[in-house]
Amino acid sequence: MIIFVIMKIVIAPDSYKECLSSPRVAEAMAAGVRSVFPDAEIVTIPLSDGGEGMLDVLLAALGAEERTARVSDPLGRPVTARWGRLGDLAVVETAQAAGLTLLAPSERNPLKTSTYGVGELLLEVSRQGCRHILAGLGGSATCDGGAGMLEVPGLSEALEGCLVELLCDVDAPFVGPCGAARIFAPQKGATPEEVELLEARMMRMADYLRQRTGTDVSDLPGAGAAGGLGGALTACFGARRVSGIDRILDLAGFDDALSGADLVITGEGRSDRQTLQGKVPLGVLHRAGTIPVALLSGRIDDRDALSAAGFRVLLEASPRDLPLSVLLRPSVAAENIAAATAQLLSHL
């Protein structure tokens, strides 16, 4: 007797930020599933939590038109920033203008980088007639509290009356021990001494925003996103912070895709306790309900916490005996993800 195994598997990963976009990760996972269950029904839904890769995810999910704008990079050099348009809705990834990946490692210094290019991008979007803006905050090279953005002439008038939604996955306030400077600036190239200088600058910026708008962003959750850009957008333009992963899950039709699913596979470049603070895998886990969710990530730490959260299987895709320079090659990463996905299915 021949038994055919028919399953419906929903694949919903974030990107492996240094080497693979979430669509490429989803393709590799799907290849791994097919190698074990060639007759399985596979639904791939590339995701983002509002950081890098959000634009490509929403361009595909919404069928939006891709557009470009010439703006300033974090050091003031010209760069072409991509954005998406669907009617009067604009999808903006702030990292397109202020992203860490726009700089060489030797250029990373948040004392010198600026969000001016983000202001230029938002100005262009509004001039094109978009009155609803989905802005992804993540992956920035900046910690200027949005000061650079606010220097763009005409931006305040252009954004008057616009609905701006901030998609982000962090709760960091503007200043303080868990604020933008002390938590994120070291990841952007700041030394311990520079972190203290940045904290003092952010405190002055918080005072300025309070005097200008009457809004105190100092302790506001999420105000520290993108080096304080979230706080400036909230105070000056009435932007509303929303859960990046929840908003994108809705726009991507994730709940409908779950109908009849036997398994959900999600993942990211690295999973640890921070995954449980609004990252893509946690959003997927919460939406999946009683459907088992497997977590497949490049690296996995804090396994007890992740298991306690409800992930059915935890599996690393990147062999620990290979150097990082090899693991970050796109072809190697894709092969490892496909092989690990096939291995994952044997654990169920």
Side-chain angles (χ1 to χ4, degrees), residues 38-80:
D39 296 320
E41 178 186 352
I42 302 171
V43 179
T44 59
I45 306 178
L47 293 174
S48 168
D49 50 27
E52 306 100 315
M54 183 201 80
L55 178 62
D56 289 325
V57 166
L58 290 185
L59 284 174
L62 299 175
E65 174 190 0
E66 181 177 323
R67 296 199 173 188
T68 60
R70 199 68 171 163
V71 301
S72 303
D73 80 354
L75 293 177
R77 301 168 300 201
V79 65
T80 299

Side-chain angles (χ1 to χ4, degrees), residues 268-271 297-301 316-320 322 327:
E268 57 189 338
R270 184 185 188 92
S271 293
S297 297
R299 283 283 182 266
I300 298 179
D301 294 313
E316 287 190 349
S318 300
R320 289 189 175 248
L322 291 179
L327 293 172

Side-chain angles (χ1 to χ4, degrees), residues 25-331:
V25 175
E27 290 172 7
M29 287 181 170
V33 171
R34 293 190 189 96
S35 70
V36 179
F37 296 124
D39 296 320
E41 178 186 352
I42 302 171
V43 179
T44 59
I45 306 178
L47 293 174
S48 168
D49 50 27
E52 306 100 315
M54 183 201 80
L55 178 62
D56 289 325
V57 166
L58 290 185
L59 284 174
L62 299 175
E65 174 190 0
E66 181 177 323
R67 296 199 173 188
T68 60
R70 199 68 171 163
V71 301
S72 303
D73 80 354
L75 293 177
R77 301 168 300 201
V79 65
T80 299
R82 301 162 54 234
W83 61 284
R85 178 173 185 173
L86 184 66
D88 70 347
L89 172 68
V91 179
V92 171
E93 190 175 297
T94 59
Q96 288 283 315
L100 198 62
T101 57
L102 297 175
L103 304 179
S106 61
E107 296 176 324
R108 296 173 181 177
N109 183 345
L111 281 172
K112 298 180 179 180
T113 52
S114 169
T115 53
Y116 190 88
V118 175
E120 293 177 312
L121 181 55
L122 293 173
L123 182 63
E124 175 63 19
V125 162
S126 64
R127 283 177 172 172
Q128 293 295 322
C130 295
R131 309 305 295 165
H132 182 186
I133 301 172
L134 296 178
L137 305 183
S140 80
T142 58
C143 190
D144 70 351
M149 173 190 68
L150 296 178
E151 292 175 358
V152 174
L155 182 62
S156 296
E157 295 79 8
L159 291 185
E160 186 174 355
C162 284
L163 170 60
V164 181
E165 292 184 84
L166 306 179
L167 280 61
C168 67
D169 66 341
V170 299
D171 292 326
F174 204 75
V175 294
C178 298
R182 292 206 168 104
I183 295 297
F184 299 113
Q187 304 169 18
K188 304 175 185 186
T191 65
E193 294 77 15
E194 290 169 340
V195 166
E196 295 310 310
L197 292 174
L198 288 165
E199 176 69 5
R201 190 170 75 178
M202 292 289 288
M203 292 179 69
R204 291 193 297 271
M205 187 64 186
D207 288 339
Y208 167 77
L209 292 173
R210 182 169 54 249
Q211 293 170 12
R212 172 174 169 172
T213 69
T215 299
D216 186 357
V217 299
S218 300
D219 299 320
L220 185 67
L229 186 63
L233 286 165
T234 299
C236 297
F237 307 122
R240 303 187 316 195
R241 174 176 170 262
V242 298
S243 165
I245 180 56
D246 284 334
R247 192 75 169 93
I248 292 173
L249 285 168
D250 289 340
L251 294 171
F254 181 77
D255 292 348
D256 290 339
L258 285 178
S259 177
D262 299 287
L263 173 69
V264 177
I265 305 176
T266 188
E268 57 189 338
R270 184 185 188 92
S271 293
D272 50 31
R273 288 184 184 275
Q274 291 190 28
T275 297
L276 305 179
Q277 297 175 7
K279 300 282 189 178
V280 164
L282 184 69
V284 169
L285 179 67
H286 286 169
R287 289 292 187 95
T290 59
I291 302 170
V293 177
L295 178 65
L296 175 66
S297 297
R299 283 283 182 266
I300 298 179
D301 294 313
D302 303 319
R303 287 176 172 268
D304 290 345
L306 293 168
S307 294
F311 292 105
R312 182 70 60 88
V313 178
L314 305 174
L315 190 65
E316 287 190 349
S318 300
R320 289 189 175 248
D321 58 350
L322 291 179
L324 183 62
S325 60
V326 174
L327 293 172
L328 292 182
R329 295 174 187 168
S331 60

